[in-house]
């Protein structure tokens, strides 16, 4: 369905120029730094230079589409900065789900009546929208799952358990979310394959200089995150795809954080699998996507058994439905898929390029503002990183920080962010993380900085 208004109309190009500077973000504590003057590239001190980003759309109008954002928490206007965990939902998505239940609800594919046809059309047209959104060549490449986690498990079970054995290697990275670690640990345990990790550099980007040591003739699959849920770092997937191709390995990309934030084109990436979640890109919970090359899907065994995924069933045997339905056992999340379709319409109206630009500028601005706080450590500083800012303030536990910020109506996440191996690389058990989306404002970032300063004062810093 269409948004109720043109969410992209009246756009002005963001008048925000990122000044040349030495990277402000440190991997060590900022305690030695002046709170008002930061080192410029020439070594002269300067304060925040760039100013707040100008959104390329009418931000107030966009925010009115998100009912949850206009609430108050503890008497203060909500500042929602936990977008890496899940995004808020616009009215257009909520309305699409409601309308589906009011006008089209029936089970899909089997009904020989009009209502059933409506449900099937709504569900299958959402699949086509997803295919177009990530530039998949064939809509049959799109499998609806519950989310990224299920999509990765699908590959580990339906491909991995039938194709790997002792002597084979699975390569992941130290930057992964647990969803892209545990399925491979289980697969390695069950098949005898080895699980290896691409290391990180000192500045917490992927260390690609000895890639040929890690991507070898034994590597059968490389599974890596496109954009880190902790740092927001965007990894150079295309380079890694080329290396993997050279040894005949498959590539799975965890797109849980990338697909919501910038244009992702599977043809351009050249990956074999891409997993992502609807709920992080304005869609409902309970729906996600596995994109996979159709020839791989044809050759793979089913994941779950049950209705919908079969063609014929005998007492001892069965044959499988065509793809993609071979991988969608049972009644699917129909309304949620319809909601995801509406979410894609909304994102397309804004434009994924403009979403990416604004997110980047917002993240840059937050780095500048937060890096002026005494005794703060902001982790990671890859130039490609966006949408996420993990930090700690000396002497304040991240959970205390999140709780104190909550009192100010500011929602951030504290913990290991389901990335314990990465936390170990950082040498910490947890961080506080602010993560942004296109509906966030620079004023909200100013409030975050103010909230952190108040927390420091409260804790006697
Ligand atoms: N991969 C990445 C990179 C993620 O960020 C997440 C969720 C997942 C996989 C799992 O997605 P799901 O929809 O299947 O749960 N990340 C986060 C987070 O950073 N905080 O809460 C969930």
């Amino acid at each position: 369905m269409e948004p109720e208004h043109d969410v992209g109309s009246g756009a002005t190009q963001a008048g925000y120029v990122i000044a040349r500077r030495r990277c402000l973000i440190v991997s060590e504590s900022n305690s030695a730094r002046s709170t008002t003057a930061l080192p410029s590239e020439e070594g002269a001190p300067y304060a925040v230079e760039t100013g707040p980003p100008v959104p390329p759309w009418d931000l107030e109008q966009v925010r009115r589409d998100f009912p949850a954002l206009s609430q108050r928490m503890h008497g203060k206007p909500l500042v929602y900065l936990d977008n890496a965990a899940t995004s808020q939902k616009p009215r257009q998505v909520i309305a699409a789900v409601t309308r589906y239940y009011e006008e089209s609800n029936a089970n899909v594919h089997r009904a020989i009546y009009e209502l059933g046809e409506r449900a099937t059309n709504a569900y299958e047209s959402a699949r086509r929208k997803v295919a177009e959104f990530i530039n998949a060549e064939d809509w049959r490449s799109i499998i609806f799952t519950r989310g990224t986690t299920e999509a990765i498990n699908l590959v580990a079970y339906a491909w991995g358990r039938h194709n790997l054995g002792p002597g084979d290697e699975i390569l992941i990275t130290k930057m992964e979310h647990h969803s892209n670690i545990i399925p491979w640990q289980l697969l390695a345990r069950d098949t005898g394959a080895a699980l290896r990790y691409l290391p990180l550099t000192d500045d917490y980007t992927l260390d690609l200089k000895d890639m040929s040591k890690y991507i070898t003739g034994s590597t059968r699959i490389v599974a890596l995150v496109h954009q880190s849920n902790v740092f927001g770092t965007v990894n150079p997937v295309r380079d890694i795809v080329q290396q993997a191709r050279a040894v005949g390995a498959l590539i799975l990309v965890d797109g849980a954080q990338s697909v919501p934030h910038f244009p992702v084109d599977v043809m351009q990436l050249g990956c074999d699998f891409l997993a992502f979640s609807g709920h992080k890109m304005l869609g409902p919970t309970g729906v996600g996507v596995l994109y996979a090359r159709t020839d791989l899907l044809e050759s793979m065994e089913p994941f779950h058994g049950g209705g919908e995924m079969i063609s014929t069933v005998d007492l001892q045997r069965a044959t499988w439905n065509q793809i993609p339905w071979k991988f969608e056992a049972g009644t699917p999340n129909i309304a949620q898929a319809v909601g995801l379709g509406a979410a894609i319409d909304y994102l397309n109206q804004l434009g994924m390029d403009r979403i990416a630009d604004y997110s980047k500028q917002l993240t840059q601005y937050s780095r500048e503002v937060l890096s002026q706080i005494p005794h703060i450590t902001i982790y990671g500083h890859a130039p490609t990183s966006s949408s996420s800012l993990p930090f700690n303030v000396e002497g304040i536990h991240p959970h205390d920080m999140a709780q104190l910020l909550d009192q100010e109506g500011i929602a951030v996440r504290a913990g290991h962010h389901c990335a314990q191996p990465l936390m170990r690389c950082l040498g910490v058990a947890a961080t506080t993380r602010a993560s942004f989306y296109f509906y966030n404002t620079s004023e909200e970032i100013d409030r975050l900085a103010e909230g952190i300063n108040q927390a420091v004062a409260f804790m006697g810093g």
Side-chain angles (χ1 to χ4, degrees):
M1 66 160 294
E2 293 299 306
E4 280 152 18
H5 58 78
D6 180 1
V7 290
S9 70
T12 54
Q13 264 310 318
Y16 179 85
V17 179
I18 298 174
R20 279 174 72 237
R21 73 173 79 66
R22 183 191 295 166
C23 190
L24 303 180
I25 308 310
V26 290
S27 301
E28 67 278 352
S29 170
N30 188 25
S31 51
R33 183 185 288 167
S34 153
T35 58
T36 52
L38 304 169
S40 73
E41 202 151 30
E42 293 74 36
Y46 70 96
V48 169
E49 277 188 359
T50 52
V54 179
W57 40 69
D58 182 341
L59 198 46
E60 268 183 38
Q61 196 178 2
V62 164
R63 286 176 68 86
R64 276 199 294 276
D65 285 338
F66 292 81
L69 294 179
S70 61
Q71 299 179 90
R72 297 178 86 81
M73 299 286 149
H74 305 292
K76 313 262 170 62
L78 168 66
V79 174
Y80 185 74
L81 299 177
D82 195 17
N83 294 286
T86 198
S87 72
Q88 295 302 336
K89 320 300 173 197
R91 292 180 200 286
Q92 290 83 349
V93 167
I94 299 165
V97 173
T98 304
R99 192 170 319 149
Y100 167 78
Y101 279 125
E102 286 177 354
E103 297 173 7
S104 307
N105 180 53
N107 211 328
V108 287
H109 299 140
R110 293 179 291 266
I112 310 177
Y113 49 83
E114 190 177 341
L115 195 62
E117 261 176 51
R118 269 191 220 166
T120 304
N121 287 341
Y123 181 65
E124 292 301 333
S125 77
R127 193 191 308 277
R128 282 166 167 78
K129 266 183 205 170
V130 171
E132 219 173 286
F133 189 64
I134 57 167
N135 196 30
E137 219 168 17
D138 191 327
W139 58 269
R140 296 175 311 151
S141 283
I142 305 301
I143 295 161
F144 283 121
T145 63
R146 279 193 302 127
T148 306
T149 304
E150 189 176 80
I152 297 171
N153 274 281
L154 191 161
V155 177
Y157 279 81
W159 175 80
R161 276 165 179 70
H162 303 279
N163 286 284
L164 296 194
D168 290 331
E169 291 179 3
I170 304 155
L171 181 68
I172 62 174
T173 83
K174 289 199 175 163
M175 204 189 279
E176 302 307 318
H177 186 281
H178 295 162
S179 293
N180 200 28
I181 299 176
I182 308 301
W184 307 115
Q185 283 185 356
L186 294 172
L187 177 61
R189 185 197 66 187
D190 293 352
T191 61
L195 178 59
R196 299 188 67 196
Y197 286 81
L198 207 56
L200 304 184
T201 61
D202 289 344
D203 62 0
Y204 311 120
T205 56
L206 292 182
D207 188 349
L208 302 176
K209 70 177 181 305
D210 288 328
M211 238 196 323
S212 57
K213 249 174 52 191
Y214 293 92
I215 301 182
T216 70
S218 304
T219 311
R220 302 295 310 283
I221 189 162
V222 180
L224 84 159
V225 69
H226 200 178
Q227 174 170 318
S228 159
N229 68 314
V230 177
F231 301 131
T233 313
V234 180
N235 289 321
V237 169
R238 281 178 70 185
D239 297 349
I240 297 166
V241 166
Q242 278 175 4
Q243 295 270 339
R245 282 275 169 273
V247 298
L250 297 180
I251 281 264
L252 179 144
V253 176
D254 174 348
Q257 300 293 341
S258 60
V259 175
H261 287 283
F262 58 86
V264 174
D265 178 329
V266 286
M267 292 294 111
Q268 222 176 33
L269 277 183
C271 59
D272 301 294
F273 302 105
L274 172 75
F276 56 100
S277 300
H279 69 94
K280 293 185 197 287
M281 49 188 283
L282 312 183
T285 49
V287 67
V289 173
L290 175 69
Y291 156 84
R293 266 176 34 210
T294 52
D295 59 315
L296 282 169
L297 289 177
E298 297 281 13
S299 69
M300 277 159 59
E301 287 295 314
F303 178 31
H304 294 144
E308 196 70 23
M309 51 73 73
I310 52 86
S311 172
T312 60
V313 179
D314 288 332
L315 289 182
Q316 302 297 335
R317 274 191 314 268
T319 58
W320 314 135
N321 200 348
Q322 294 171 332
I323 62 167
W325 306 293
K326 172 177 152 187
F327 294 98
E328 292 182 358
T331 301
N333 292 344
I334 308 164
Q336 289 81 356
V338 171
L340 177 56
I344 287 174
D345 288 340
Y346 194 99
L347 293 170
N348 281 335
Q349 284 266 337
L350 285 183
M352 289 306 294
D353 280 318
R354 296 196 306 164
I355 288 174
D357 278 354
Y358 181 61
S359 283
K360 220 167 171 173
Q361 291 167 17
L362 209 53
T363 314
Q364 183 71 23
Y365 178 68
S366 67
R367 281 180 179 167
E368 290 190 9
V369 172
L370 264 60
S371 60
Q372 298 198 33
I373 295 170
H375 309 295
I376 197 166
T377 300
I378 297 173
Y379 299 96
H381 59 264
T384 55
S385 68
S386 175
S387 342
S388 181
L389 205 83
F391 63 92
N392 274 323
V393 177
E394 216 175 286
I396 306 184
H397 192 281
H399 286 129
D400 291 336
M401 176 62 78
Q403 215 171 340
L404 290 166
L405 289 173
D406 177 51
Q407 292 304 308
E408 298 303 312
I410 303 165
V412 294
R413 191 150 290 255
H416 52 59
H417 314 299
C418 294
Q420 285 188 22
L422 180 55
M423 292 296 121
R424 257 170 236 128
C425 293
L426 295 179
V428 296
T431 76
T432 310
R433 179 190 67 185
S435 56
F436 314 108
Y437 212 10
F438 60 81
Y439 41 65
N440 286 126
T441 68
S442 49
E443 290 78 19
E444 289 182 312
I445 289 166
D446 295 340
R447 273 193 57 201
L448 171 66
E450 210 178 295
I452 297 170
N453 277 320
Q454 279 175 23
V456 171
F458 180 80
M459 300 295 282

